[in-house]
Every structure is written in structure tokens, then in C-alpha cells.
């Protein structure tokens, strides 16, 4: 059975916990050198952000790649801020999960709901957003399903549109809900380090 394999990787990883600003921050260091940093809401247990980092080809530390949460860095320079302001009308794609579903938000899409279609490409293991006016096209995967070796289910996919934002929802399969519940129990057992912990400063 595939589900325990990802859980076993998480269990085997070196973990550091930090509680700060109402969030439980967990830093994972895997055997292959990859790092994963997650933030959970302490009260609800909901995942707020997840990002990955791995060594680059020269053996140095690479940049964090955001999987869940706000895509922009909080450490923006003035020039970068200006560039972002100039392109603020461009669609912004981000993932923001709930306890029961994976969820993506695409901001700055002003077209009415009937213009959009969201489908599952089973062979390519991805979801695709299309518009009948051909103004927007987006293909994205669900890494969680890949890690648990689970198939994509078109029936689990739905979408809505409000305030110029397309909201795409994929209901989490029962296997992932069970695994996440088990993981939460284990993460709560990790004693939180103080705010001066070196590993957590990388988050």
C-alpha cells in the first residue's frame, strides 16, 4: 500500500517545530537533503503554507519554492514592488487549502463564470483551466496525489467565480484525510523549540 510510504518519509525526516504568531511551524530535513517547511494554524490545524528547498547543482542552498500559500516573498525590494504593482492586473495563481479540500485561487480574472471550464487530464495527472474566449489557460498538478500515488477524480473537482477570482476546489480523498489526521497527531508531539532555533530561521 502506497500511503504509508510518504508518511514514513515524513516520520524519518529530521523535524524542528516552532510556535509563533498563532502558527505551528514545522521544518523537515529529508535524507536526500531536501527541506520542507510547513505552517499550520494552531487552533484549527489547517495548513497555511508549504514550501520546498533543495541543493542546487553546485551543492549550495537553493531558493524556497512555494507549493501552498502566498506566492510572493515578504522580503521584496522597492524595485520588485514597483514591478509587481505594474503587473497587478495579471492573473495571480496560488493554492490555499481547507481542512477537507485542496483549493486554488486565480485572481484578476474578470470574465463571467460561464466562460471557464476546469477539467482533469488523467494521463498527464493534472488539472486544466480553459476559457471559451481563449484569454486564459492554466495547467497544474496536485503534488499530494502524486506523493500518495492516488488517481485524479474528475468528480472531486469543482469551481466557482466571485470578485474577479476563480476558486477551484478538489475534495481530498479519504486516504489523504486519514494520513493528514495521523500526521497532525504526530506533529503535536514534537516539542517546540524556542524562537532562536537555527533551523526554523530558514522558514
Amino acid at each position: 500500500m502506497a500511503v504509508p510510504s510518504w508518511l514514513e518519509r515524513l516520520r524519518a525526516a529530521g523535524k524542528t517545530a516552532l510556535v509563533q504568531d498563532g502558527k505551528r511551524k514545522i521544518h523537515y530535513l529529508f535524507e536526500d537533503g531536501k527541506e520542507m517547511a510547513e505552517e499550520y494554524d494552531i487552533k484549527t490545524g489547517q495548513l497555511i503554507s508549504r514550501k520546498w528547498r533543495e541543493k542546487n547543482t553546485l551543492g549550495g542552498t537553493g531558493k524556497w519554492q512555494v507549493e501552498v500559500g502566498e506566492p510572493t516573498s515578504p522580503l521584496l525590494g522597492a524595485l520588485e514592488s514597483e514591478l509587481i504593482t505594474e503587473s497587478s492586473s495579471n492573473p495571480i495563481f496560488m493554492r490555499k487549502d481547507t481542512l477537507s479540500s485542496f483549493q486554488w485561487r486565480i485572481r484578476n480574472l474578470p470574465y463571467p463564470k460561464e466562460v471557464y471550464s476546469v477539467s482533469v487530464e488523467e494521463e498527464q495527472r493534472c488539472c486544466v483551466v480553459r476559457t471559451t474566449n481563449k484569454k486564459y489557460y492554466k495547467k497544474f498538478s496536485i503534488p499530494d496525489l502524486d506523493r500518495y500515488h492516488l488517481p485524479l477524480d474528475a468528480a472531486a473537482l469543482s469551481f466557482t467565480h466571485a470578485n474577479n477570482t476563480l476558486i477551484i476546489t478538489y475534495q481530498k480523498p479519504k486516504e489523504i484525510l486519514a494520513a493528514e489526521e495521523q500526521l497532525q497527531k504526530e506533529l503535536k508531539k514534537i516539542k517546540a523549540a524556542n524562537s532562536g532555533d537555527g533551523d526554523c530561521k530558514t522558514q
Side-chain angles (χ1 to χ4, degrees):
M1 201 174 152
V3 171
S5 63
W6 173 241
L7 270 179
E8 288 304 323
R9 279 200 68 196
L10 293 176
R11 286 174 180 142
K15 291 181 281 294
T16 310
L18 177 68
V19 173
Q20 190 178 50
D21 303 326
K23 301 173 187 173
R24 182 185 300 277
K25 303 180 180 184
I26 311 288
H27 178 271
Y28 303 80
L29 181 59
F30 296 96
E31 287 182 2
D32 58 6
K34 285 185 181 180
E35 296 173 78
M36 182 174 78
E38 293 183 326
E39 292 186 3
Y40 292 90
D41 184 293
I42 289 178
K43 290 182 179 177
T44 65
Q46 186 166 310
L47 179 67
I48 298 169
S49 73
R50 177 188 293 138
K51 48 191 177 182
W52 290 85
R53 183 166 71 176
E54 55 186 307
K55 303 287 185 187
N56 58 33
T57 50
L58 299 175
T61 304
K63 291 184 178 181
W64 285 106
Q65 302 295 320
V66 176
E67 181 181 314
V68 180
E70 289 288 345
T72 53
S73 165
L75 304 172
L76 288 173
L79 179 60
E80 287 180 276
S81 296
E82 277 184 38
L83 291 171
I84 285 174
T85 302
E86 285 177 14
S87 63
S88 62
S89 61
N90 290 339
I92 299 171
F93 179 87
M94 67 170 286
R95 179 172 153 186
K96 188 175 183 180
D97 291 355
T98 69
L99 289 174
S100 61
S101 64
F102 305 121
Q103 196 172 87
W104 300 263
R105 292 166 185 262
I106 311 175
R107 300 176 189 151
N108 300 329
L109 287 180
Y111 321 113
K113 183 181 177 181
E114 55 269 21
V115 167
Y116 307 97
S117 70
V118 183
S119 59
V120 163
E121 299 283 345
E122 291 184 20
E123 287 187 9
Q124 297 182 41
R125 292 192 60 78
C126 66
C127 302
V128 180
V129 181
R130 296 181 175 88
T131 57
T132 54
N133 59 11
K134 301 194 179 347
K135 296 285 188 182
Y136 186 79
Y137 177 88
K138 179 73 177 179
K139 185 185 290 187
F140 61 95
S141 62
I142 307 178
D144 307 71
L145 296 182
D146 293 337
R147 287 192 283 265
Y148 286 101
H149 303 285
L150 294 170
L152 273 76
D153 179 8
L157 192 66
S158 63
F159 71 94
T160 186
H161 185 268
N163 301 318
N164 288 343
T165 301
L166 187 69
I167 302 170
I168 302 162
T169 301
Y170 188 101
Q171 295 299 321
K172 292 178 182 177
K174 62 182 185 301
E175 294 92 340
I176 286 184
L177 290 172
E180 288 181 346
E181 184 180 355
Q182 181 65 36
L183 181 63
Q184 280 302 307
K185 289 177 182 176
E186 296 185 21
L187 293 180
K188 286 174 183 175
K189 295 175 186 174
I190 302 172
K191 187 177 179 182
N194 62 31
S195 57
D197 186 274
D199 280 336
C200 286
K201 281 189 174 179
T202 62
Q203 293 185 35

